[in-house]
């Protein structure tokens, strides 16, 4: 999930108010949340953890003892920001080994607190707004699957397009959208009725799907098409196609929780495209000092900082959204793939 | 029933699909000269196979024999009709030498001399049927690079299938495709800025690491998709250098319309009794269909896809990835005989016209 608005709202309504209350009782200042950036590194089979305030690498979580054979890829965060889910699979999708799984990482301790099997090469994951379900795109078997976030019980599976890739749950929890690279489609699942509603043709080789803050739109990147398809979620139809250029190779999307902007990682041009969703126009292209081939992208819940996971330079670029510029590059693991922000309410 | 439902869904949904035919690059070789590209690809494939088998002495493994068989069963069909029209003697000579090569290889005799003969004849054919100004054009070169990268047994697919299907000879084929791509790229470098050239060379170096020798490693294990990322990136880098769009499936509807036109031309050749030229057209169509349309149509309009895919397979032996997977499970279906190729051509044309409708045309 690249959708920190829900995360921000949940924190405001829940843990943060509790902390505020306690702080008032104790007569102390309100504690600030702190953020941690998680970067899944495909080739070193680990996850780099970065303190977003200092820009320092504070931990590296080994995911498998078989780097080069097993890889972490897509990640998602629980609504309260405290658990990061990561999909783990074998490089060889034919293999159905025990490494096909979803991990739950406690943001405060960086410990893997749960893991459950998700056979079929899970590529990306999403969390339902109530935090009770994790959804996965199972690449090798062309399925979308829902799991109980605590027990790991598989709740449902659906046939989707070939080479399932991206997955997102709408902010109201009603829809699950699952992209498929080889059929160029998005499959829409009614999460309550547990049935496939329709399949939507989008741009060529769709990668990632994200919902807008109000859930009225879904944005789908198309890597070969060089586009972002805009889907009206009331009709599940493509209503606009934003052209980023055929060489852009867009992958992950970060939705700014504080504005109408979305940030799109352009792996082909080593750029981040900033799109104003009120006009569906590119308002900025950030290239200077960017790392090479950004695929992953995440934004802090306060909307102030964007991070990209750069697969060819094995690094993270830090973008200050106020200036729309790269302010720092941080080393990550080999083949930095995806990025996600976890939250420690009240900070450490 | 399910198929009809799927198709109905597809038709209704794609009405909203906004075709994204971006004119970012000046040339679209797979749309502008599909038959020329297909013929050239056929000859490039022969050169790729010859280089691969030339790395090994007799007797050749059964696996490598498959590469030789593909020359006579498939590659040459992509251009022999046009070659025969231009130079019937050369066409016959080439077919004879290919047969000679097959015989030598089957009997475990030294095949290197025949390899040289077939190569020389193929190069003569190349000079004859592909105009020299076309051969030098960046768009033509870029499209061939795309063919040898994304096509069946090419750089990306060859590696994936070599590992996934445990077919080591496909590794050798992929290695040889890479050597051809490097030769083609050397003709394109003059159009690249130093930074662009450095980026492409970096991707080629990564592919060189993957295909480190013609001999497949033992055991042949690893990430089947390892070659795909640098190969895809390389093509993305080459497009602006050549000012040519080489991913023909970006606009599937436009591609389907283009395939209908090529297929209609093929059927006219069949109707005129020129089966070899007709078959060339079906190869050009089948290649693009399998590479770019089969996935979507197989999912959204399986009845249309089944008709198209079965006819393409019967006429050419070309299969899309999904059909190959099914065949692996079924232990290889026999390719059916086609009693009436002209009729089959028309059936395929009808299926492609339906595909255009499914895609919103």
């Amino acid at each position: 999930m690249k959708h920190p608005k829900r995360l921000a709202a949940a924190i405001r309504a829940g843990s943060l108010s509790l902390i505020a209350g306690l702080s008032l009782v104790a007569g102390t200042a309100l504690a600030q949340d702190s953020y941690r950036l998680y970067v899944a590194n495909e080739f070193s089979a680990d996850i780099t953890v970065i303190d977003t305030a200092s820009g320092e690498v504070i931990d590296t979580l080994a995911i498998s003892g078989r780097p080069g054979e097993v890889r972490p890829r897509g990640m998602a965060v629980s609504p309260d920001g405290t658990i990061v889910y990561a999909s783990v699979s074998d490089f060889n999708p034919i293999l159905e080994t025990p490494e096909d799984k979803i991990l739950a990482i406690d943001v405060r301790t960086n410990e893997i607190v749960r893991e459950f099997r998700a056979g079929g090469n899970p590529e990306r994951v999403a969390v339902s707004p109530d935090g009770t379900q994790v959804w996965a795109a199972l690449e090798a078997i062309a399925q979308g699957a829902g799991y109980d976030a605590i027990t790991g019980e598989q709740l449902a599976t659906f046939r989707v397009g070939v080479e399932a890739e991206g997955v997102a749950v709408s902010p109201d929890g009603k829809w699950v959208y699952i992209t498929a690279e080889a059929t160029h489609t998005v499959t829409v699942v009614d999460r309550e009725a547990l049935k496939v509603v329709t399949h939507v043709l989008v741009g060529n080789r769709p990668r990632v799907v994200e919902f807008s803050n109000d859930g009225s739109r879904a944005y789908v990147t198309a890597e070969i098409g060089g586009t972002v398809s805009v889907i009206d979620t009331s009709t599940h139809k493509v209503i606009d196609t934003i052209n980023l250029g055929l060489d852009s190779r867009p992958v992950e999307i970060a939705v700014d929780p504080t504005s109408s902007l979305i940030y799109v990682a352009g792996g082909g041009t080593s750029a981040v495209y900033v799109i104003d969703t009120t006009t569906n126009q590119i308002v900025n292209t950030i290239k200077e000092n960017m790392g090479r081939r950004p695929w992953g992208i995440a934004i802090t819940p306060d909307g102030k900082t964007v991070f990209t996971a750069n697969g060819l330079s094995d690094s993270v670029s830090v973008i200050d959204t106020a200036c729309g510029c790269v302010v720092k590059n941080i080393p990550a693991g080999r083949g930095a793939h995806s990025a996600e922000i976890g939250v420690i309410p009240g900070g450490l | 029933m399910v198929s009809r439902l799927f198709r109905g869904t597809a038709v209704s949904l794609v009405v909203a699909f906004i075709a994204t035919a971006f004119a970012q690059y000046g040339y679209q070789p797979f749309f502008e000269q599909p038959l020329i590209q297909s013929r050239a690809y056929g000859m490039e494939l022969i050169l790729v196979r010859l280089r691969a088998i030339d790395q090994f002495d007799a007797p050749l493994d059964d696996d490598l024999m498959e590469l030789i068989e593909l020359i006579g069963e498939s590659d040459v069909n992509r251009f022999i009709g046009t070659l025969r029209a231009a130079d019937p003697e050369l066409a016959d000579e080439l077919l004879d030498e290919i047969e000679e090569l097959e015989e030598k290889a089957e009997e475990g005799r030294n095949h290197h001399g025949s390899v040289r003969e077939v190569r020389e004849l193929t190069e003569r054919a190349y000079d004859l049927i592909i105009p020299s100004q076309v051969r030098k054009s960046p768009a033509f070169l870029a499209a061939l690079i795309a063919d040898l990268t994304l096509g069946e047994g090419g750089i990306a697919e060859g590696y994936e299938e070599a590992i996934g299907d445990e077919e080591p000879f496909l590794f050798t084929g992929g290695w040889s495709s890479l050597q051809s791509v490097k030769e083609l790229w050397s003709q394109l470098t003059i159009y690249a800025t130093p930074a662009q050239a450095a980026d492409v060379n970096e991707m080629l170096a990564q592919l060189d690491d993957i295909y480190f020798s013609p001999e497949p490693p033992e055991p042949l294990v690893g990430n089947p998709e390892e070659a795909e990322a640098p190969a895809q990136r390389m093509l993305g880098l080459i497009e602006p250098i050549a000012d040519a769009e080489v991913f023909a499936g970006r606009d599937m509807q436009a591609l389907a319309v283009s395939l209908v036109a090529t297929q209609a031309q093929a059927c006219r050749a069949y109707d005129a009794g020129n089966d070899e030229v007709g078959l060339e057209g079906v190869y050009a169509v089948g290649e693009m269909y399998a590479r770019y349309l089969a996935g979507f149509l197989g999912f959204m309009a399986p009845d249309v896809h089944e008709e198209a895919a079965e006819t393409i397979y019967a006429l050419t032996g070309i299969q899309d990835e999904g059909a190959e997977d099914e065949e692996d499970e079924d232990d290889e279906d026999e390719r059916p005989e086609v009693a009436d190729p002209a009729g089959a051509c028309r059936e395929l044309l009808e299926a492609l016209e339906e595909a255009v409708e499914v895609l919103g045309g």
Side-chain angles (χ1 to χ4, degrees):
Chain A
M1 183 181 78
K2 298 287 177 300
H3 207 294
K5 187 166 188 177
R6 275 178 272 160
L7 184 115
I11 291 166
R12 276 196 299 274
S15 57
L16 201 57
S17 58
L18 175 64
I19 290 163
L22 290 172
S23 299
L24 286 172
V25 169
T28 58
L30 180 65
Q32 291 279 312
D33 294 351
S34 59
Y35 307 137
R36 285 177 168 175
L37 174 71
Y38 292 78
V39 180
N41 304 305
E42 252 191 303
F43 301 129
S44 50
D46 53 24
I47 292 177
T48 304
V49 187
I50 294 168
D51 180 273
T52 62
S54 66
E56 298 294 323
V57 175
I58 56 172
D59 211 341
T60 300
L61 313 179
I63 297 302
S64 171
R66 297 165 53 210
E69 294 178 34
V70 174
R71 56 181 164 179
R73 287 189 285 178
M75 295 183 291
V77 67
S78 62
D80 65 2
T82 60
I83 299 287
V84 167
Y85 294 90
S87 53
V88 177
S89 56
D90 286 87
F91 271 107
N92 190 341
I94 294 162
L95 298 176
E96 271 261 345
T97 73
E99 299 275 18
D100 276 4
K101 62 191 172 188
I102 294 169
L103 305 177
I105 301 162
D106 186 316
V107 173
R108 186 179 291 272
T109 62
N110 284 330
E111 287 178 0
I112 295 168
V113 290
R114 290 190 298 281
E115 66 175 57
F116 53 87
R117 175 144 177 82
N121 219 258
E123 178 146 3
R124 292 183 182 277
V125 287
V127 185
S128 61
D130 60 7
T132 61
Q133 295 176 2
V134 175
W135 285 77
L138 304 175
E139 184 183 20
I141 56 175
Q143 287 184 3
Y147 303 88
D148 185 292
I150 301 300
T151 66
E153 179 194 356
Q154 192 176 70
L155 305 170
T157 61
F158 299 96
R159 179 195 175 213
V160 301
V162 179
E163 292 190 36
E165 161 97 22
V167 58
V169 184
S170 61
D172 62 4
K174 191 161 172 48
W175 311 113
V176 182
Y177 277 31
I178 302 152
T179 69
E181 279 181 71
T183 47
H184 321 295
T185 49
V186 172
T187 295
V188 180
V189 173
D190 182 327
R191 196 172 73 95
E192 288 157 11
L194 289 179
K195 67 174 186 182
V196 170
V197 175
T198 190
H199 309 281
V200 185
L201 177 63
V202 290
N204 202 273
R205 193 182 277 237
R207 289 286 193 174
V208 165
V209 55
E210 294 290 346
F211 286 92
S212 60
N213 292 318
D214 65 3
S216 67
R217 300 285 182 269
Y219 301 96
V220 185
T221 51
E223 191 182 17
I224 301 294
T227 58
V228 177
S229 297
V230 183
I231 297 174
D232 181 336
T233 57
S234 66
T235 59
H236 310 299
K237 291 186 175 176
V238 175
I239 55 166
D240 202 354
T241 302
I242 305 166
N243 179 13
L244 306 181
L246 297 179
D247 51 352
S248 57
R249 304 251 164 167
V251 185
E252 285 194 356
I253 302 168
V255 179
D256 186 343
T258 65
S259 76
S260 60
L261 301 178
I262 60 172
Y263 294 80
V264 182
T269 45
S270 292
V272 166
Y273 298 88
V274 187
I275 296 167
D276 185 339
T277 57
T278 58
T279 59
N280 290 337
Q281 298 292 314
I282 300 169
V283 292
N284 193 12
T285 302
I286 303 165
K287 285 188 85 166
E288 199 173 337
N289 298 322
M290 276 292 304
R292 298 181 65 207
R293 204 204 68 182
W295 271 15
I297 194 163
I299 187 167
T300 50
D302 60 13
K304 290 181 177 172
T305 315
V306 167
F307 300 88
T308 63
N310 311 317
L312 277 183
S313 51
D314 300 336
S315 65
V316 169
S317 294
V318 184
I319 296 169
D320 180 339
T321 58
C323 65
C325 58
V326 175
V327 293
K328 188 173 185 174
N329 280 290
I330 304 165
R334 285 190 298 116
H337 180 282
S338 296
E340 188 57 88
I341 302 279
V343 177
I344 301 174
L348 265 184
Chain B
M1 181 67 179
V2 172
S3 298
R4 283 183 182 169
L5 277 175
F6 258 99
R7 197 175 156 202
T9 306
V11 172
S12 62
L13 287 172
V14 294
V15 170
F17 170 60
I18 301 162
T20 51
F22 303 119
Q24 183 168 333
Y25 302 124
Y27 299 93
Q28 293 185 306
F30 291 113
F31 289 77
E32 291 154 0
Q33 49 191 26
L35 290 167
I36 289 175
Q37 291 296 157
S38 180
R39 291 177 195 127
Y41 180 42
M43 291 181 279
E44 288 288 346
L45 283 173
I46 291 179
L47 298 174
V48 162
R49 320 252 197 236
L50 294 174
R51 184 191 296 108
I53 58 175
D54 212 20
Q55 307 303 311
F56 303 92
D57 292 327
L60 293 173
D61 285 349
D62 287 349
D63 284 346
L64 285 168
M65 282 301 303
E66 289 194 40
L67 288 180
I68 296 177
E69 285 164 12
L70 285 169
I71 295 174
E73 288 175 4
S74 171
D75 304 341
V76 77
N77 293 335
R78 295 173 191 257
F79 64 89
I80 197 70
T82 300
L83 180 60
R84 193 181 300 286
D87 186 339
E89 281 181 24
L90 179 57
D92 286 339
E93 211 179 332
L94 176 61
L95 291 173
D96 288 346
E97 281 300 335
I98 290 170
E99 204 175 314
E100 172 100 13
L101 170 63
E102 283 177 5
E103 281 173 12
K104 281 185 179 172
E106 274 170 18
E107 292 164 9
R109 291 152 57 199
N110 185 331
H111 56 275
H112 296 296
S114 280
V115 165
R116 276 194 298 278
E117 288 290 330
V118 176
R119 183 185 296 132
E120 190 190 315
L121 293 168
T122 304
E123 283 168 353
R124 278 176 56 197
Y126 217 142
D127 290 339
L128 190 64
I129 64 175
I130 308 294
S132 61
Q133 74 274 18
V134 172
R135 285 188 74 174
K136 290 179 199 159
S137 73
F140 172 79
L141 295 166
L144 275 184
I145 289 173
D147 276 333
L148 293 169
T149 302
L150 302 177
E152 183 69 24
I155 294 172
E157 289 294 311
Y159 192 77
E160 185 173 345
E161 288 167 10
I163 291 180
D165 300 344
E166 297 176 0
E167 301 273 21
F169 75 98
L170 291 174
F171 180 94
T172 307
W175 168 86
S176 186
S177 294
L178 178 58
Q179 310 317 306
S180 292
V181 163
K182 286 193 285 191
E183 286 173 11
L184 294 163
W185 162 241
S186 71
Q187 298 174 61
L188 265 182
T189 50
I190 54 169
Y191 302 99
T193 65
Q196 286 175 321
D199 282 346
V200 174
N201 288 332
E202 184 185 351
M203 294 304 111
L204 286 169
Q206 285 186 20
L207 292 166
D208 267 335
D209 287 344
I210 294 166
Y211 285 112
F212 57 90
S213 84
E215 190 103 37
E218 285 186 31
L220 186 52
V221 292
N223 170 16
E225 293 179 358
E226 193 173 352
E228 190 182 349
Q232 290 269 2
R233 185 170 167 84
M234 176 186 71
L235 292 179
L237 293 165
I238 281 174
E239 282 190 310
I241 293 169
D243 191 23
E245 192 172 337
V246 299
F247 291 97
R250 277 198 180 104
D251 184 340
M252 290 192 289
Q253 187 192 335
L255 177 62
V257 169
S258 168
L259 295 189
V260 165
T262 307
Q263 184 66 19
Q265 199 176 332
C267 293
R268 283 196 293 276
Y270 273 115
D271 290 342
N274 197 342
D275 285 14
E276 284 184 336
V277 170
L279 187 56
E280 283 182 18
V282 180
Y283 268 93
V285 167
E287 187 69 36
M288 291 295 111
Y289 180 90
R291 206 182 292 173
Y292 295 115
L293 297 186
F296 175 76
L297 291 169
F299 181 56
M300 297 291 270
D303 48 350
V304 174
H305 168 66
E306 194 177 332
E307 179 72 39
E310 283 182 3
T311 314
I312 288 168
Y313 180 57
L315 285 167
T316 67
I318 294 173
Q319 285 182 294
D320 60 274
E321 213 170 311
E324 280 175 4
D325 292 345
E326 279 175 28
E327 190 181 272
D328 290 343
E329 287 166 14
D330 298 346
D331 279 331
E332 297 211 15
D333 280 341
E334 195 71 22
R335 188 173 148 196
E337 289 283 326
V338 182
D340 176 16
C345 186
R346 284 190 295 274
E347 282 172 22
L348 177 55
L349 180 59
E350 284 171 21
L352 292 169
E353 285 167 345
E354 285 188 64
V356 171
E357 280 181 42
V358 170
L359 287 160

